[in-house]
Amino acid sequence: MGVGEAANFAAYAFAPATLVTPLGALSVLVSAVLSSIFLNEQLNVHGKIGCILSVLGSTVMVIHAPQEEEVSSLESMAEKLKDPGFIVFAVCILVSSLLLIFVAGPRYGQSNVLVYVLVCSAIGSLSVSCVKGLGIALKELFSGKPVLKEPLGWVLLVCLVICISVQINYLNKALDIFNTSVVTPIYYVLFTTAVMMCSAILFKEWQHMVLDNIIGTISGFLTIVSGIFLLHAFRDMPFTPDLLPLFLQQGRAELQATWRSADRHQSCQHQPLLSSEDKGSQSTEEEEEEGGSM
């Protein structure tokens, strides 16, 4: 898991966050496939369709991925963070998170799954921005620049630790209260949406995109959401013919009746003309006739 998180951290340094975050759905896909192979967990029809949809949606998002505005140094990152649009967005995220934690949490946190999941998603969008800045700082550090003397890198590190701590805390609370199959798809959708909004505001990723790429990105994201929903929401539901609609059940019954009649017709064609008893009596009569003639 440490290697995987390190690779995810490195991906934010080299690719747009709008592309990296939705592709995290592939980890859900891989875990579902590996658990069915090594842990003997049953992957029903809904789960297999969800895996296929996740792969297709990820492919569409990669094809139509936005090209973010070039941010190659901490100085340019600092200019982005000073943008009025991002400051307003960050203030709205912090205020709404505090209201959810101290006002909505004690009242509705035990009965509504959206309260704690919204806190995780909102704070998670800020943590992704911190990860992006730290990735740029590490790139400059490896190139020999005196990054350790820059205060922005340390500020981003402290903010990242705080955001991740809050995010993990309230995600664990949501998982303790509600079922994992309910929390996981809702958290993925809200977290990815918040990250895409934050990246669009901070890095202007959608500013130079044509209409085809915008439609492709949104369509790929919605396809991934559908796949994740099918994979988790119907995990424990067995797929039986009784779950089919009535017209499909009638068609299935007619098809089975047709197959049975065909099998009977085929068996009648291959049935011997004489039964075993008739064959035995016929052979006895032939032997008696031969004995009388002798």
Side-chain angles (χ1 to χ4, degrees), residues 74-236:
L74 284 179
E75 295 180 356
S76 58
M77 184 68 185
E79 293 178 358
K80 297 291 183 185
L81 294 175
K82 295 177 183 178
D83 186 71
F86 177 73
I87 293 175
V88 172
F89 175 79
V91 170
C92 293
I93 289 293
L94 293 176
V95 172
S96 60
S97 299
L98 292 175
L99 291 175
L100 288 171
I101 292 172
F102 295 106
V103 178
R107 295 181 180 179
Y108 309 106
Q110 301 294 324
S111 59
N112 195 335
V113 67
L114 292 177
V115 176
Y116 293 139
V117 175
L118 279 173
V119 175
C120 300
S121 304
I123 299 298
S125 63
L126 298 180
S127 65
V128 168
S129 303
C130 296
V131 168
K132 187 74 175 178
L134 288 176
I136 296 172
L138 288 178
K139 287 170 62 176
E140 290 188 346
L141 181 63
F142 292 148
S143 62
K145 295 182 179 180
V147 180
L148 298 178
K149 298 180 180 179
E150 295 288 338
L152 180 60
W154 297 104
V155 171
L156 290 175
L157 180 60
V158 173
C159 293
L160 178 62
V161 172
I162 296 173
C163 291
I164 291 179
S165 301
V166 175
Q167 191 175 352
I168 292 176
N169 181 27
Y170 287 96
L171 181 60
N172 288 331
K173 285 187 176 182
L175 292 174
D176 289 338
I177 300 171
F178 304 98
N179 193 358
T180 307
S181 61
V182 177
V183 175
T184 303
I186 295 176
Y187 173 65
Y188 172 78
V189 173
L190 295 178
F191 173 71
T192 307
T193 304
V195 170
M196 292 173 68
M197 290 176 58
C198 181
S199 300
I201 294 173
L202 181 60
F203 300 108
K204 309 295 188 297
E205 294 178 351
W206 300 68
Q207 187 173 1
H208 303 290
M209 289 179 65
V210 297
L211 182 61
D212 295 341
N213 290 333
I214 294 175
I215 296 175
T217 302
I218 297 175
S219 301
F221 173 61
L222 294 178
T223 305
I224 296 175
V225 169
S226 303
I228 296 297
F229 178 78
L230 286 176
L231 186 60
H232 283 275
F234 302 100
R235 175 186 295 177
D236 300 327

Side-chain angles (χ1 to χ4, degrees), residues 54-70:
S54 299
V55 174
L56 292 177
S58 302
T59 304
V60 172
M61 286 207 69
V62 170
I63 294 174
H64 299 280
Q67 298 296 322
E68 64 180 335
E69 204 172 74
E70 189 66 25

